[in-house]
Amino acid sequence: MSDYILSCCSTADLSQEHFDKIGVHYVCFHFNMDGKEYPDDLGKSMPFAEFYKRIADGAEPTTSQVNVGQFKEYFSEFLKDGKDILHVSLSTGLSGVYNSACIARDELLEEYPDRKIYIVDSLGASSGYGLLMDTLAELKNSGKSIEEVRDFAEERKLNVHHWFFSTDLTSYYRGGRITKTAQIFGTMLNICPLLNMDNNGKLIPRTKYRGKKKVIEEIVNRMVEHAEGGLDYSGKCYISESACYDDARAVADLVESKFKKLNGKVEINSVGTVIGSHTGPGTVALFFFGDKRVD
């Protein structure tokens, strides 16, 4: 029986069933909506449909990361059971949660000097981060040591591509990323921005397309360009979506029509409540293993 556990943050945006199946533990971020705090618990405390409807109706949620005390409490349960820990955090390009996990690790190692606690910055988010965790779980379950899995994560995390588009610019305006004028004219002209995650784990706008059909074609073209093996890509492909399943399904169908050697069907997950607090509804994200992100 393995003497270590794999852990991540809830912002890896996999389903509870998926986490259970691969044996990965997670610690919850939190969000505040209309004066009440909720855990980012994969839609259990607030179903995703309700969450995104409330945003569409004008709610403006805020988020809070896992703090040092919460990490210590969470990690301690595993350490008490004699388990070592490999925790992979949400990208430092989006959150300071990695630093909180490191501080908790340093304090707990004084109490548990014989245990190992490794913290890795995923430089990823949402189901791209989830795709990395799924791959690490496969390695762990094949018998790889905690150090081997940690080293793989460090070596390969920048090979996980994250491409996003949005058909709703409201949250971009509310978050201060575009002006009100840009939101109004972008909406009128049906502008859909295409973004990706750079090598520092930050979300970067790359280009804009007019019309949903065009941006769907272009996001899949990025997979053709960057996926390992090109159209012969044989890895897994994940998508996450925020209250726009039909758009995600259209991307998945196009991916499956082009990439005949995929490892299984494209898996579609919901963008969770913390990531979704910043993207709002109308976002589709595509994730796969490819060439190393360099900018």
Side-chain angles (χ1 to χ4, degrees):
M1 191 169 182
S2 177
D3 61 351
Y4 71 96
I5 64 101
L6 271 180
S7 169
C8 64
C9 305
S10 57
T11 45
D13 288 352
L14 299 178
S15 67
Q16 183 66 60
E17 293 76 17
H18 196 143
F19 278 123
D20 291 342
K21 180 180 178 181
I22 64 177
V24 170
H25 302 266
Y26 64 90
V27 60
C28 289
F29 272 59
H30 289 79
F31 69 97
N32 188 293
M33 180 176 275
D34 298 328
K36 183 177 178 180
E37 185 175 79
Y38 302 86
D40 177 40
D41 57 2
L42 317 183
K44 291 191 281 288
S45 293
M46 182 181 293
F48 296 129
E50 178 185 348
F51 175 77
Y52 286 111
K53 182 180 185 303
R54 289 170 69 170
I55 292 179
D57 290 342
E60 299 185 28
T62 58
T63 61
S64 58
Q65 67 185 40
V66 188
N67 62 37
V68 173
Q70 290 165 339
F71 267 122
K72 289 180 69 174
E73 181 179 1
Y74 169 70
F75 287 155
S76 291
E77 294 302 312
F78 305 115
L79 299 171
K80 289 174 184 176
D81 288 339
K83 300 288 186 180
D84 296 328
I85 298 168
L86 173 54
H87 178 80
V88 184
S89 81
L90 177 66
S91 173
T92 50
L94 301 176
S95 169
V97 72
Y98 171 81
N99 291 330
S100 296
C102 289
I103 294 169
R105 171 202 61 199
D106 294 345
E107 293 181 5
L108 284 168
L109 284 176
E110 295 181 5
E111 185 177 352
Y112 297 92
D114 296 328
R115 297 265 59 85
K116 299 173 183 176
I117 308 173
Y118 296 125
I119 312 295
V120 173
D121 174 9
S122 72
L123 295 177
S126 197
S127 296
Y129 175 17
L131 177 57
L132 178 62
M133 295 310 303
D134 186 278
T135 306
L136 300 183
E138 289 182 350
L139 293 173
K140 175 181 179 293
N141 294 332
S142 73
K144 298 295 185 183
S145 71
I146 189 171
E147 286 83 9
E148 288 175 312
V149 178
R150 175 203 61 192
D151 292 347
F152 179 94
E154 293 287 11
E155 291 165 5
R156 294 277 285 163
K157 61 190 181 184
L158 286 177
N159 291 97
V160 183
H161 277 250
H162 301 56
W163 289 92
F164 300 74
F165 71 78
S166 181
T167 59
D168 186 333
L169 301 179
T170 304
S171 290
Y172 286 77
Y173 164 65
R174 289 176 180 169
R177 284 167 287 180
I178 62 174
T179 65
K180 182 63 175 178
T181 301
Q183 181 208 354
I184 292 171
F185 280 97
T187 300
M188 288 174 56
L189 296 173
N190 198 19
I191 298 298
C192 302
L194 180 65
L195 312 89
N196 81 331
M197 189 159 280
D198 70 4
N199 60 332
N200 293 311
K202 296 181 178 180
L203 198 56
I204 305 296
R206 296 300 182 181
T207 190
K208 300 173 184 176
Y209 295 96
R210 189 169 182 179
K212 188 187 298 183
K213 181 179 179 181
K214 181 61 175 177
V215 78
I216 287 173
E217 292 174 354
E218 289 299 329
I219 198 172
V220 177
N221 284 342
R222 297 305 186 276
M223 184 170 175
V224 174
E225 179 182 358
H226 293 286
E228 292 178 345
L231 291 173
D232 289 327
Y233 177 67
S234 58
K236 293 181 179 180
C237 176
Y238 288 176
I239 288 174
S240 57
E241 54 84 22
S242 56
C244 53
Y245 179 83
D246 289 347
D247 295 342
R249 185 69 258 169
V251 174
D253 289 344
L254 188 54
V255 168
E256 290 172 358
S257 73
K258 288 180 176 288
F259 294 86
K260 303 298 187 182
K261 299 180 181 180
L262 284 178
N263 182 356
K265 294 289 187 180
V266 175
E267 179 174 318
I268 300 177
N269 299 295
S270 179
V271 175
T273 51
V274 163
I275 302 295
S277 293
H278 302 282
T279 67
T283 293
V284 175
L286 176 65
F287 310 103
F288 54 90
F289 276 94
D291 51 7
K292 196 171 291 288
R293 289 145 46 196
V294 294
D295 61 11

